[in-house]
Amino acid sequence: MQDSLYSSNNTLDNTSYQELIDKVNKVRGYGLNKHLTIPQIAIIGEQSSGKSSVLEAITKLSFPRKMGTCTRFATQVNLRQSTQSEMSAFIDGETEFNEQYGKSTNTWAIHNIVNDANKVLCSDIDISEKVLEITISRPDFTPLTVIDLPGIINTVDDDQDESIIETIRKICADHIISNRTIILAVIPADIDFNACHAIGMAEKYDPKHLRTVPIVTKPDKVEPERLPDLINLLLNKRKEMVNGYLVMKNSTYSDIDITWEKAKQKEEQHFKSSPLWNQVEGHRKGRVNVKRFLGDLLIEHIKNELPQLKQEIQSLIDQCEKEVEDMGPAITEFGLAKTLYTDQVLSLQFNLTALLNGHYSSARINDQKLLIDEEIIDDAGDVSKVDAKKPRSAKKRRSANSHRNQYYVRSWLQNMYEDYNNSISPSEDILSRDKIKKMVLLYKGNELPGFIAFSTFTKIYKVTLDHWESTTRQHIRDMHLRLNNAVSEIITDIVDPRLLDLFLSEFKKFYKSQVILINGAIKDIFEDESTPFTVSKSYYGTFISKRRARTQDQINMTVQKLGKYADDFNLDELTDQLKIFSAVDKLDNVDYNEGLSIQDLELQLTGYCELAKQRIVDNVLLQTIERQMIKRISQYFNKLHMVDNNTISTRLIEPSEKANKRQALHDKIEILEKSLSEL
């Protein structure tokens, strides 16, 4: 604390001080303290430590001191400076008490208020966690707010519950844990400082002693030989506190009837009784100086905390408004509920249909989850920026395309179609020549040498077809699972939270039924393809061209073997001769002719598989995802339109609990906004 705070110019009298304290008291009056902690002073101490005397000295009010009366609940005293003398009291949730004391009056009956509060709060319990708030306005008051907490105890009477000990400690902890609370820790001078539980509790929540101000009471009870040790404590030489120590002579039970001014005179006389007291700075001893010190400390504390408090208020406003927004509009009758439900179905139908058809400009695609063209995602899932001026490789482009947002349904469906088409390769997927030969020998019948039975061709082709069917089923499974996730995400983004479970449930039913149809369609497609059949000329043309290419390759190999001798012959004549000789030489070679038939079979398989692939790919795409999922999505919306009125009412017409919560949020927002405006 800077020395300037204790100059002869009393900051308590400054207009700016008054205005700032008034602001804090006003937002407290709004109820801000029920939602956020506000800069304040809390008094903690052990029972019979002199807390009540400290409260009286600070507030100039006389509180009940009868044992067990004013220490069974926290008492918050709000002092306001006003041209009129008024007083009111409030306990949260106690309607009858608030009706009696909630209105401002000039009747000064602190004892009655505290006694009645004691009856309300502690009629059947020993300690209450509620707070009695007393607000007093007078022309001669300096604005100040202090909270007197129940006295800390370490044991209980035989007829008391031992849980009282922990209850009191919890109440104290709840009030001093906030960094916005200045902890005024009351320490009787006649006990060992290190044994003081109030200091121990304060240190737990303020370990650096930044906001703890120990105030020593009962200095007149200290034996003369112990006074130097007490003075050293007050001079901050034993246990350092950032804001130092205070000392005040409290009134005893025998002084209950004397005035505040008379008690002040007796206090001043005591501090003149020994020259040792001169070592303690004047602004740290005596009730007048203590009050001024605490006022200065509180005002500086408020100034420091105000910016952060405003931010927290705004953050809480945003949070409450988000909760209200998530609750949706308030609906109290079926007509409004039916209108909202219909609007939700039509909105989802418009947007989802547009997205499934690739009409992105007609849907919500421009408002959220946009495709990030300048980002790519590597195999590890890491996102990295791409230099727009540097061309991407084909692999990078495919990587980026394959990770497009769920909203680009048609785009990523096309990519998955392309991947599926590329995954089926007749040249790679048919059996190797050696395996074909083994199967030909395995299924050999009574056909002539060099000929292959149709049934053998079918069995060999079926091996490839089975592989393709497995690949196809995995591809379709991946596609409709991703489509399910995409549509579910779109529904979640568009639909009112109150209807979300219903819309998702109906889509789940639609999805399951369509998956059954898709699996049946795949089965039919591959059953149809299991018997090789075609009238397409492209198959014959492919087979003949491949056979010619094979023959030409053999001729080229023979010519290459002749090497330099080929130069002595006319190449065309040589080619014709080679064809004749080759045919004649191998005419009687059965194994060679069997080999040619195997090669022909391989060519036939490749040619037919290329044709079958196109039919399969086209049919799969047409009859599965396209036909069963996308083109029949209207069935889903038909189900939504058939939902009964009772289901709609149950989800949309607001129950009383939700209406109460909505009102509570609006009330909270009003308090926060008024407080923010005030600050």
Side-chain angles (χ1 to χ4, degrees), residues 441-621:
L441 295 175
L442 178 64
Y443 295 113
K444 191 74 173 176
N446 59 356
E447 63 271 6
L448 297 174
F451 289 86
I452 303 296
F454 179 72
S455 60
T456 301
F457 178 91
T458 301
K459 289 182 173 60
I460 297 173
Y461 162 68
K462 189 68 166 58
V463 174
T464 301
L465 194 67
D466 289 343
H467 172 64
W468 285 358
E469 182 175 2
S470 175
T471 301
T472 300
R473 290 190 179 278
Q474 183 61 49
H475 160 70
I476 290 298
R477 189 178 301 112
D478 293 342
M479 287 190 70
H480 69 61
L481 282 176
R482 179 162 182 184
L483 188 61
N484 172 54
N485 294 336
V487 173
S488 298
E489 181 181 310
I490 294 168
I491 294 172
T492 302
D493 286 342
I494 294 177
V495 174
D496 187 295
R498 294 169 291 185
L499 297 170
L500 185 57
D501 64 325
L502 173 62
F503 278 55
L504 289 175
S505 175
E506 288 298 328
F507 178 72
K508 186 177 181 180
K509 295 176 184 176
F510 166 77
Y511 171 76
K512 285 185 175 180
S513 65
Q514 298 312 110
V515 167
I516 294 174
L517 295 176
I518 287 172
N519 290 333
I522 295 174
K523 182 179 179 182
D524 290 342
I525 289 171
F526 281 93
E527 281 186 357
D528 291 342
E529 290 293 338
S530 62
T531 300
F533 175 80
T534 184
V535 293
S536 172
K537 292 183 179 181
S538 64
Y539 162 66
Y540 299 109
T542 301
F543 171 67
I544 292 171
S545 64
K546 288 182 178 294
R547 174 182 278 180
R548 285 174 177 172
R550 182 190 66 187
T551 303
Q552 189 61 48
D553 288 342
Q554 291 176 340
I555 292 171
N556 292 340
M557 289 177 60
T558 304
V559 171
Q560 186 178 7
K561 289 180 179 179
L562 289 174
K564 63 179 181 178
Y565 300 107
D567 296 337
D568 298 331
F569 301 92
N570 180 284
L571 185 58
D572 292 334
E573 294 179 359
L574 178 62
T575 300
D576 292 336
Q577 291 297 321
L578 286 171
K579 289 180 181 177
I580 296 172
F581 294 152
S582 176
V584 173
D585 289 344
K586 304 203 175 172
L587 185 61
D588 298 326
N589 190 332
V590 176
D591 290 338
Y592 174 75
N593 285 301
E594 287 290 330
L596 286 178
S597 65
I598 297 298
Q599 291 183 29
D600 280 347
L601 177 57
E602 183 181 22
L603 293 178
Q604 291 170 355
L605 281 169
T606 302
Y608 186 79
C609 284
E610 288 178 354
L611 181 68
K613 169 191 171 178
Q614 297 307 317
R615 285 202 306 260
I616 291 171
V617 170
D618 290 342
N619 278 318
V620 165
L621 302 189

Side-chain angles (χ1 to χ4, degrees), residues 131-392:
V131 178
L132 167 64
E133 296 183 35
I134 302 175
T135 301
I136 307 172
S137 301
R138 278 173 52 178
D140 60 335
F141 271 0
T142 297
L144 188 65
T145 297
V146 292
I147 300 176
D148 181 35
L149 301 174
I152 301 170
I153 59 175
N154 299 307
T155 187
V156 295
D157 296 337
D158 292 341
D159 60 343
Q160 290 182 310
D161 191 340
E162 291 186 358
S163 64
I164 295 175
I165 299 173
E166 291 305 317
T167 300
I168 292 176
R169 290 180 181 272
K170 180 182 181 300
I171 293 173
C172 292
D174 289 344
H175 282 83
I176 69 174
I177 190 173
S178 170
N179 289 333
R180 294 202 175 102
T181 299
I182 295 172
I183 306 171
L184 189 60
V186 179
I187 311 167
D190 57 347
I191 69 168
D192 184 8
F193 174 82
N194 293 325
C196 179
H197 292 281
I199 289 295
M201 178 172 286
E203 195 169 45
K204 179 179 180 180
Y205 300 104
D206 179 31
K208 295 183 179 180
H209 311 141
L210 299 176
R211 53 190 178 88
T212 299
V213 183
I215 179 168
V216 176
T217 59
K218 304 180 182 180
D220 52 323
K221 302 297 183 181
V222 177
E223 298 176 357
E225 59 271 18
R226 293 188 59 238
L227 184 57
D229 189 49
L230 176 62
I231 297 298
N232 280 333
L233 177 68
L234 294 171
L235 294 178
N236 216 5
K237 293 181 178 180
R238 287 180 54 187
K239 191 176 188 69
E240 185 177 357
M241 298 286 169
V242 171
N243 293 300
Y245 291 74
L246 304 174
V247 60
M248 186 181 70
K249 180 185 178 301
N250 53 311
S251 302
T252 63
Y253 285 108
S254 60
D255 297 330
I256 287 179
D257 295 327
I258 69 173
T259 64
W260 187 88
E261 288 294 334
K262 184 65 176 177
K264 171 177 169 280
Q265 293 175 7
K266 292 182 66 173
E267 183 182 51
E268 291 173 346
Q269 291 174 1
H270 173 75
F271 288 129
K272 293 177 181 178
S273 63
S274 171
L276 292 176
W277 286 111
N278 293 332
Q279 299 179 50
V280 180
E281 296 169 294
H283 63 266
R284 293 187 177 275
K285 60 186 177 184
R287 61 189 60 200
V288 174
N289 294 323
V290 164
K291 183 177 182 180
R292 181 181 299 125
F293 179 97
L294 293 176
D296 290 338
L297 183 61
L298 180 60
I299 195 65
E300 289 300 312
H301 193 55
I302 291 173
K303 288 179 181 178
N304 292 333
E305 292 293 330
L306 212 52
Q308 181 63 29
L309 179 59
K310 290 179 182 179
Q311 291 181 15
E312 290 181 12
I313 293 174
Q314 185 59 62
S315 177
L316 197 52
I317 290 174
D318 295 340
Q319 178 183 329
C320 292
E321 289 179 341
K322 178 64 167 57
E323 286 187 52
V324 172
E325 181 183 353
D326 290 343
M327 293 174 73
I331 297 177
T332 56
E333 59 183 35
F334 175 72
L336 294 174
K338 183 67 174 180
T339 299
L340 174 60
Y341 179 81
T342 302
D343 289 344
Q344 287 285 292
V345 175
L346 293 177
S347 174
L348 178 62
Q349 186 169 4
F350 172 77
N351 286 281
L352 184 54
T353 303
L355 291 169
L356 291 177
N357 290 329
H359 301 157
Y360 303 133
S361 60
S362 301
R364 296 164 62 96
I365 195 69
N366 293 322
D367 297 331
Q368 56 186 317
K369 301 182 179 301
L370 296 179
L371 174 66
I372 305 174
D373 288 327
E374 296 309 321
E375 285 188 355
I376 60 171
I377 305 178
D378 60 23
D379 294 336
D382 297 326
V383 179
S384 59
K385 288 292 182 181
V386 178
D387 187 348
K389 298 179 180 179
K390 185 178 181 180
R392 296 191 222 174

Side-chain angles (χ1 to χ4, degrees), residues 3-40:
D3 293 339
S4 61
L5 292 177
Y6 312 111
S7 62
S8 58
N9 179 22
N10 186 358
T11 59
L12 292 174
D13 298 328
N14 293 339
T15 302
S16 60
Y17 178 96
Q18 303 286 341
E19 292 177 351
L20 192 55
I21 292 292
D22 285 345
K23 285 179 181 291
V24 173
N25 282 338
K26 189 172 288 187
V27 299
R28 190 187 303 276
Y30 294 157
L32 180 63
N33 58 311
K34 295 179 176 63
H35 308 292
L36 291 171
T37 55
I38 298 175
Q40 60 189 5

